[in-house]
């Protein structure tokens, strides 16, 4: 099994060129937005925990709570295990978010081992944790593991941009979008990045998550 990744802008450009050959409607999008920023991160426990903490919060609120957790050193598995619920609540975590972080600790994921697993197994491993949905797992694949064939069909900005790109009458469901873009494989990460940038162009705001 060969796991394809996109590790730099040169490789991303190659994927974009291949994607345009499959779906020429990306050509004018690429002309408008250029090469997207890959925005890779180191991944691991802390990255996943940060994503969980920020769910359903404004960017400002999520950043404030996360900084409080950082200041107290509550960003590692061992620190969360040792902390009481009251300790975590005092930093701004809700009862639900405390449950999520406890579940993450309990699953004791070997994040280094994820690098050798196929995409579907990574998603299965991560979504076993309470509070991690498919979207969060896909963001981990794309931005932490640098995988090359991830289309975030549940992402609102992706759906809106794809609707415009494909000339659809209404916003596609995740299942419809998955079916419509099947032929974009194995370059769907490039498609995701371009669609996020295109949504930003259409709405005049940043859409790329994380």
């Amino acid at each position: 099994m060969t796991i394809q990744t996109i590790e730099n802008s040169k490789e991303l450009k190659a994927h974009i060129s291949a994607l345009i050959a499959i779906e020429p409607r990306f050509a004018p999008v690429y002309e408008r937005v250029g090469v997207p920023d890959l925005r890779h991160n180191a991944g691991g426990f802390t990255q996943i925990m940060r994503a969980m903490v920020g769910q359903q919060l404004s960017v400002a609120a999520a950043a404030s709570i996360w900084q409080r957790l950082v200041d107290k050193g509550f960003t590692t598995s061992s620190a969360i295990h040792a902390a009481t619920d009251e300790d975590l609540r005092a930093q701004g975590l809700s009862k639900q978010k405390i449950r999520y972080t406890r579940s993450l600790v309990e699953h004791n994921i070997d994040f280094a081992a994820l690098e050798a697993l196929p995409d579907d197994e990574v998603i299965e491993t991560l979504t076993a944790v309470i509070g991690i949905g498919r979207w969060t797992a896909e963001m981990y694949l794309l931005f932490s593991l640098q995988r090359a064939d991830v289309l975030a069909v549940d992402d609102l900005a992706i759906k809106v941009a794809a609707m415009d790109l494909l000339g659809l009458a209404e916003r596609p469901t995740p299942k419809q979008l998955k079916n419509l873009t099947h032929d974009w494989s194995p370059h769907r990460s490039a498609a995701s990045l371009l669609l996020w940038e295109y949504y930003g162009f259409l709405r005049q705001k940043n859409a790329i998550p994380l």
Side-chain angles (χ1 to χ4, degrees):
M1 178 192 68
T2 301
I3 294 175
Q4 286 195 313
T5 59
I6 300 177
E7 298 185 12
N8 52 55
S9 294
K10 181 179 179 180
E11 292 182 3
L12 177 55
K13 287 181 182 179
H15 276 272
I16 290 173
S17 295
L19 176 65
I20 290 172
I22 297 168
E23 178 50 83
R25 283 175 287 192
F26 271 108
V29 171
Y30 181 43
E31 290 176 6
R32 288 190 181 99
V33 305
V35 181
D37 186 345
L38 286 168
R39 300 184 66 164
H40 288 155
N41 58 60
F45 178 94
T46 301
Q47 184 64 40
I48 283 288
M49 180 181 165
R50 185 171 188 174
M52 296 170 77
V53 167
Q55 289 175 7
Q56 299 178 325
L57 294 176
S58 69
V59 173
S64 175
I65 292 172
W66 183 252
Q67 189 58 53
R68 289 161 67 179
L69 291 165
V70 169
D71 291 343
K72 290 292 184 178
F74 294 151
T75 59
T76 65
S77 179
S78 59
I80 296 299
H81 181 74
T84 65
D85 287 1
E86 289 73 22
D87 290 334
L88 299 176
R89 193 175 298 113
Q91 312 316 315
L93 286 188
S94 66
K95 182 178 180 179
Q96 183 183 57
K97 296 293 177 66
I98 292 172
R99 181 169 175 247
Y100 291 174
T101 56
R102 297 286 189 209
S103 180
L104 181 60
V105 171
E106 289 166 5
H107 278 79
N108 193 29
I109 295 170
D110 183 347
F111 286 96
L114 296 183
E115 297 180 11
L117 296 181
D119 293 357
D120 58 345
E121 291 186 30
V122 173
I123 290 173
E124 182 180 358
T125 299
L126 293 177
T127 56
V129 176
I130 298 171
I132 297 181
R134 186 178 181 88
W135 183 87
T136 300
E138 289 175 339
M139 295 306 99
Y140 194 86
L141 281 170
L142 182 57
F143 295 110
S144 299
L145 297 181
Q146 307 174 14
R147 297 298 171 86
D149 197 29
V150 181
L151 187 71
V153 296
D154 295 301
D155 187 272
L156 176 61
I158 293 284
K159 289 187 284 189
V160 170
M163 180 178 71
D164 187 274
L165 177 84
L166 300 173
L168 304 176
E170 57 186 15
R171 190 183 304 160
T173 66
K175 183 177 181 180
Q176 288 170 337
L177 187 54
K178 183 177 181 179
N179 291 335
L180 286 167
T181 61
H182 182 268
D183 290 344
W184 296 357
S185 182
H187 313 291
R188 288 178 292 189
S189 291
S192 287
L193 292 166
L194 285 173
L195 288 170
W196 273 314
E197 293 285 1
Y198 188 46
Y199 177 87
F201 171 81
L202 294 172
R203 298 291 191 268
Q204 295 301 304
K205 63 181 180 180
N206 179 48
I208 297 181
L210 305 180

